[in-house]
Amino acid sequence: MKLAFAAVVLGLALPQPGIAGTMGFAVHDAPRDMPEVRFVTEGGARKTLEAFRGKVILLNIWATWCIPCRKEMPTLDALQADLGSSKFEVVTLSIDKAGVPAVRQFFDEYAIRNLAIYVDQTGLAFSNLGVFGLPTTLIVDGDGRELARLIGPATWNSPDMEAFLSTFIK
């Protein structure tokens, strides 16, 4: 009863039957509009999430200095290798003030090979998305709307997590 009350108050969906729980995500009852999120690629191109229109994305806000982020990044890389497709992409958005070079060094050190480098040195994505801690991960639908949010680290390439995320990919 307390869980149902909290879900109503917070506007969250309760776990659906047949889905391996919510894997810690707060799943929204209805998709939520998102602010524009700007970042640069490793090559210096300016982009927004609009570049991923039509795909479900797992948007992970992180930084190289964040210890839980460092620990989960190899599992995000493995998730992209396992589920990445024309319908789904893992987008890791670093808020490192040191920019692309810091992220490139981290990716090289941890042998991250399946993820692209995206950086928001301004930190505006962090504040505009209402992020309160790192890592924070959003599931975003093909129309650019937030479907769910997870605050904290996860093991992204576990069978249960991959099954859960697959329910969002059509």
Side-chain angles (χ1 to χ4, degrees):
M1 183 61 115
K2 287 181 183 177
L3 179 60
F5 177 74
V8 170
V9 169
L10 297 174
L12 309 175
L14 292 172
Q16 300 173 22
I19 298 176
T22 61
M23 301 303 296
F25 275 90
V27 179
H28 310 310
D29 285 330
R32 296 181 177 177
D33 290 334
M34 293 178 53
E36 185 173 71
V37 176
R38 298 175 186 211
F39 50 90
V40 296
T41 66
E42 182 171 21
R46 294 174 187 254
K47 289 197 173 203
T48 67
L49 291 181
E50 184 67 26
F52 302 98
R53 179 70 82 174
K55 281 187 179 185
V56 172
I57 64 169
L58 186 80
L59 176 62
N60 179 268
I61 312 300
W62 74 291
T64 59
W65 45 262
C66 163
I67 301 303
C69 301
R70 296 172 72 87
K71 290 181 180 177
E72 77 172 355
M73 192 57 62
T75 69
L76 284 160
D77 190 53
L79 176 66
Q80 176 62 26
D82 292 348
L83 293 185
S85 69
S86 62
K87 296 179 181 182
F88 177 77
E89 188 165 342
V90 176
V91 176
T92 55
L93 180 57
S94 168
I95 60 165
D96 278 270
K97 295 220 182 284
V100 170
V103 177
R104 169 47 54 209
Q105 180 179 354
F106 175 88
F107 273 30
D108 289 346
E109 181 181 336
Y110 282 79
I112 304 300
R113 301 285 180 252
N114 301 296
L115 299 171
I117 292 178
Y118 302 115
V119 179
D120 171 24
Q121 285 182 265
T122 68
L124 288 174
F126 186 87
S127 59
N128 290 347
L129 291 170
V131 173
F132 296 103
L134 295 177
T136 293
T137 306
L138 287 65
I139 299 173
V140 180
D141 71 10
D143 294 322
R145 300 172 302 176
E146 182 178 333
L147 302 176
R149 180 178 290 229
L150 174 69
I151 300 170
T155 303
W156 295 103
N157 63 330
S158 73
D160 286 345
M161 182 62 82
E162 288 189 6
F164 172 73
L165 293 172
S166 292
T167 65
F168 293 93
I169 305 167
K170 296 173 177 62

